[in-house]
Amino acid sequence: MAFSVDQTVALLGRTPGALRALLEGLSEGWTKTNEGPETFSPYDVVGHLIHGEKTDWMVRARIIRESGESRPFDRYDRFAQQRDSAGRSLAELLDEFARLRAANLAALRAWNLGPEDLARRGMHPALGSVTLAQLLATWAVHDLTHLHQVARTMAHQYRAEVGPWSAFLGVLRCQGHSD
């Protein structure tokens, strides 16, 4: 599938609802368990996505539009949610994520990006030169990666309980992608 802003926005707009449908009202046994040191629980994923809404995707898109490659992106703090989400309920985080995502997508739509805009380049601190289209496509795939991570982390809570069916449950054989 070729990159499309409309297709990307359609996917990104669904992530808050998907997370809410999957996580809201579940016990901490489902939402606060992770895959080991320096990995994310579903709760952590929501906090991580909030941090991205505030400091990553649209901030970097603005840098590309305003400065191109002359101003490198700031480094991203993958674990900021540990500090930023402390003491907050999952319901609060889900609400904040939905609000921030809606505002960011409204701003993105308002830019009415064309092919020349999408081809503009920015400078990632580790990856080097990237296009705006690549950044936006990565935003969508990043969401899908974390939705996969949430499902995988939750499935592993019952890995011992499924017995012989584990041979048919690919999510239980999938390796973690948290690092």
Side-chain angles (χ1 to χ4, degrees):
M1 166 190 254
F3 177 77
S4 158
V5 173
D6 291 339
Q7 293 286 351
T8 301
V9 168
L11 180 70
L12 290 170
R14 285 168 170 71
T15 304
L19 286 169
R20 186 178 302 281
L22 190 58
L23 300 174
E24 191 170 53
L26 291 178
S27 73
E28 288 187 359
W30 288 115
T31 64
K32 290 231 176 160
T33 304
N34 62 31
E35 298 173 286
E38 296 192 4
T39 65
F40 296 170
S41 68
Y43 175 90
D44 295 329
V45 166
V46 178
H48 173 77
L49 292 171
I50 288 169
H51 186 68
E53 292 301 305
K54 292 177 177 178
T55 67
D56 191 353
W57 309 108
M58 288 298 286
V59 171
R60 289 177 171 187
R62 281 185 190 95
I63 290 170
I64 290 172
R65 292 185 75 221
E66 294 168 6
S67 303
E69 293 177 300
S70 68
R71 184 203 180 288
F73 303 155
D74 294 332
R75 293 202 176 270
Y76 183 77
D77 181 355
R78 282 188 59 239
F79 296 100
Q81 72 276 358
Q82 294 172 346
R83 173 188 66 249
D84 297 345
S85 299
R88 300 180 65 199
S89 72
L90 180 58
E92 288 176 277
L93 296 180
L94 289 166
D95 288 345
E96 182 177 8
F97 177 54
R99 181 181 53 76
L100 291 169
R101 176 58 61 88
N104 279 337
L105 294 181
L108 180 62
R109 278 189 219 90
W111 287 348
N112 294 314
L113 298 170
E116 288 182 13
D117 299 305
L118 295 171
R120 285 188 54 92
R121 293 189 164 276
M123 187 60 64
H124 188 280
L127 303 174
S129 183
V130 297
T131 67
L132 180 56
Q134 289 170 332
L135 174 74
L136 297 176
T138 301
W139 188 5
V141 175
H142 179 265
D143 271 22
L144 293 170
T145 297
H146 284 300
L147 288 168
H148 173 252
Q149 179 183 27
V150 165
R152 184 187 68 242
T153 302
M154 293 172 75
H156 277 262
Q157 301 316 302
Y158 275 0
R159 68 187 168 276
E161 280 70 22
V162 300
W165 279 284
S166 65
F168 302 104
L169 301 170
V171 70
L172 295 177
R173 293 189 309 276
C174 182
Q175 296 300 308
H177 304 286
S178 298
D179 45 321

